């Protein structure tokens, strides 16, 4: 029941959640009996493509399966979270993008002594991360901390399930073709790749990369480091130290985790030029929202202006969503003012502090 309540949060009015709730006791009891008997197996998934900020596949499990994902997460996640470093972000309560941005800002101010001395940063990204995850490596990591047989069997069932065997593909063919073949789960080898969109996949990704965190902190002894999913940053006063750390990780990741760095997204440059991370840009004495995010927000609102019959509720919801995102930056007044002008052009009003739009 607790897993169901967690699962329906923010999604209670979706068709799948409403259908499950219509016969809630029956569905929960049926699910309970299947789990107790060891007969539960994941059902059909829905695959669709999102195009912003870039094309990628999203896999949505059935609502009853998502309840099981929450059940497993609620049981085993705390023991893993307790072992994670404070620099691990994403899919951890209280450690979202804002936590990651603030954590990095703290690290930058520390390594530069409040911007009084130069420092460098190394930013890395794992190539095709979710599609390239080796499930057998991840399974061994789960076995180290999940010692109860029943819970371990459930974790293995969720992890090793291949959603490609029973999937409903939605969306236009043109959108599906936008996803590069090497980034599609449909083209991944057997026992490789996790579906983006499930709570279990986000949690398993952190479990896998905890070994990376531990190596960076305790073997390389990096004094300043932050990771958000597969994006991570190391900071140091000496660029030579960061170059050596990059060589170490470039050799260690394929050997131990069967992952590899994306050379096109590896950046080594001075901190003073600004550090772009989780949608924020950290520069001396200020943290702003990435320019592309602001431009995309304004463009989406202007596109609604060209629509003959626009939905005023949709405009207000979209505007307030972006205003809430912009408010996370410490210096966002100018960006919020630009967005406010676009909102006013659509005939909506906005408060004087540019933090909320009205119909």
């Amino acid at each position: 029941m607790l897993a169901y309540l967690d699962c329906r949060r923010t999604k209670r009015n979706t068709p799948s959640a409403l259908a499950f709730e219509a016969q809630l006791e029956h569905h929960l009891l049926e699910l309970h009996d299947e789990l107790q008997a060891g007969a539960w197996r994941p059902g059909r998934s829905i695959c669709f493509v999102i195009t912003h900020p870039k094309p990628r596949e999203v896999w949505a499990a059935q609502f009853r399966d998502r309840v099981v994902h929450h059940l497993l997460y609620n049981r085993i996640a705390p023991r893993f979270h307790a072992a994670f470093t404070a620099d691990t972000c994403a899919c951890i309560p209280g450690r979202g993008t804002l936590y990651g941005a603030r954590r990095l800002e703290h690290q930058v101010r520390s390594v530069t002594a409040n911007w009084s001395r130069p420092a460098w940063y190394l930013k890395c990204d794992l190539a095709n991360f979710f599609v390239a995850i080796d499930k057998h490596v991840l399974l061994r990591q789960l076995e180290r901390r999940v010692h109860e047989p029943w819970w371990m069997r459930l974790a293995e069932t969720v992890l090793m399930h291949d959603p490609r065997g029973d999937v409903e593909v939605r969306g236009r063919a043109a959108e599906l073709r936008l996803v590069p073949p090497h980034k599609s789960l449909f083209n991944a080898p057997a026992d490789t790749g996790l579906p983006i969109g499930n709570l279990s996949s986000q949690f398993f990704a952190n479990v896998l990369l905890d070994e990376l965190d531990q190596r960076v902190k305790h073997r390389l002894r990096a004094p300043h480091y932050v990771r958000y999913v597969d994006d991570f940053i190391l900071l140091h006063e000496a660029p030579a130290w960061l170059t050596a750390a990059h060589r170490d990780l470039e050799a260690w990741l394929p050997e131990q985790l069967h992952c590899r760095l994306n050379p096109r997204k590896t950046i080594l440059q001075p901190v003073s030029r600004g550090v772009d991370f989780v949608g924020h840009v950290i520069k001396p004495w200020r943290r702003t929202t990435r320019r592309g995010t602001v431009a995309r927000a304004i463009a989406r609102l202007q596109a609604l202006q060209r629509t003959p019959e626009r939905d005023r509720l949709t405009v207000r919801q979209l505007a307030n969503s972006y205003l809430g995102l912009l408010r996370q930056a410490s210096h966002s007044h100018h960006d919020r003012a630009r967005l406010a002008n676009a909102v006013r052009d659509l005939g909506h009003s906005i408060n004087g502090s540019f933090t909320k739009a009205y119909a």
Side-chain angles (χ1 to χ4, degrees):
M1 184 65 186
L2 292 175
Y4 160 72
L5 293 175
D6 289 340
C7 186
R8 80 173 189 185
R9 187 176 293 120
T10 74
K11 300 181 184 298
R12 190 171 187 180
N13 291 325
T14 60
S16 59
L18 291 173
F20 193 90
E21 188 174 8
Q23 294 182 296
L24 179 60
E25 292 184 5
H26 168 74
H27 287 143
L28 285 180
L29 183 60
E30 181 182 57
L31 194 55
H32 173 272
D33 291 344
E34 287 183 22
L35 288 166
Q36 286 291 85
W40 175 82
R41 294 294 180 271
R44 170 171 290 190
S45 295
I46 296 173
C47 176
F48 58 94
V49 173
I50 60 171
T51 56
H52 296 284
K54 57 185 178 181
R56 65 176 60 189
E57 292 174 352
V58 176
W59 297 71
Q62 290 183 355
F63 188 85
R64 72 192 309 267
D65 293 342
R66 299 202 298 270
V67 172
V68 177
H69 296 168
H70 279 272
L71 176 72
L72 177 66
Y73 176 85
N74 291 344
R75 175 70 181 193
I76 70 173
R79 68 188 73 176
F80 287 93
H81 291 169
F84 289 165
T85 70
D87 302 308
T88 303
C89 314
C91 199
I92 303 173
R95 298 196 197 178
T97 56
L98 181 57
Y99 175 91
R102 287 175 172 171
R103 185 74 183 174
L104 179 58
E105 187 175 28
H106 168 77
Q107 302 277 24
V108 169
R109 290 169 68 96
S110 175
V111 72
T112 61
N114 275 339
W115 303 103
S116 64
R117 64 188 183 197
W120 294 67
Y121 76 90
L122 172 68
K123 182 178 180 181
C124 298
D125 175 87
L126 297 180
N128 309 322
F129 174 59
F130 277 95
V131 177
I133 289 177
D134 189 325
K135 294 183 178 181
H136 294 288
V137 173
L138 188 47
L139 186 64
R140 290 194 295 270
Q141 292 175 324
L142 290 171
E143 290 172 341
R144 294 173 191 169
R145 286 198 172 96
V146 183
H147 304 298
E148 305 92 329
W150 191 89
W151 288 102
M152 189 58 226
R153 284 196 300 271
L154 180 60
E156 183 175 0
T157 300
V158 173
L159 172 63
M160 302 306 293
H161 170 65
D162 189 345
R164 297 173 296 185
D166 188 6
V167 59
E168 176 187 347
V169 180
R170 294 183 181 178
R172 293 175 297 180
E175 290 181 343
L176 297 172
R177 287 194 296 268
L178 293 176
V179 180
H182 64 280
K183 290 183 176 292
S184 173
L185 187 61
F186 285 107
N187 299 323
D191 296 338
T192 303
L194 294 179
I196 298 176
N198 292 337
L199 171 66
S200 57
S201 298
Q202 300 173 53
F203 168 66
F204 288 152
N206 266 342
V207 172
L208 177 72
L209 294 183
D210 180 53
E211 280 197 28
L212 169 64
D213 300 338
Q214 301 300 332
R215 181 169 186 84
V216 170
K217 298 295 289 186
H218 301 296
R219 294 295 182 133
L220 299 181
R221 298 188 179 277
H224 306 285
Y225 165 80
V226 179
R227 179 179 64 80
Y228 189 92
V229 193
D230 61 325
D231 294 327
F232 59 94
I233 289 182
L234 293 87
L235 303 115
H236 204 272
E237 299 89 347
W241 187 94
L242 292 173
T243 301
H246 177 261
R247 284 198 300 266
D248 179 274
L249 295 177
E250 199 170 30
W252 179 83
L253 280 165
E255 179 183 345
Q256 297 297 324
L257 300 185
H258 299 176
C259 300
R260 60 184 181 86
L261 296 176
N262 187 341
R264 293 181 299 175
K265 294 186 178 180
T266 299
I267 301 173
L268 175 62
Q269 67 178 15
V271 168
S272 58
R273 294 185 183 177
V275 186
D276 187 335
F277 188 62
V278 294
H280 292 243
V281 179
I282 299 169
K283 292 185 176 181
W285 306 109
R286 68 188 187 276
R287 176 166 46 83
T288 58
T289 306
R290 187 183 294 159
R291 288 183 181 179
T293 302
V294 179
R296 187 161 51 249
I298 294 174
R300 290 187 66 184
L301 287 170
Q302 290 174 341
L304 290 175
Q305 188 178 21
R306 295 190 294 269
T307 303
E309 297 180 359
R310 61 179 182 270
D311 185 348
R312 298 182 66 86
L313 181 61
T314 301
V315 172
R316 180 172 60 84
Q317 288 177 334
L318 181 63
N320 284 326
S321 175
Y322 276 116
L323 287 170
L325 175 65
L326 296 180
R327 287 177 61 189
Q328 293 183 354
S330 61
H331 291 67
S332 64
H333 180 82
H334 177 68
D335 293 334
R336 285 185 284 119
R338 291 176 58 198
L339 189 68
N341 287 334
V343 172
R344 290 168 57 199
D345 289 342
L346 289 168
H348 289 249
S349 59
I350 195 163
N351 63 3
S353 57
F354 307 144
T355 56
K356 189 173 183 179
Y358 303 91

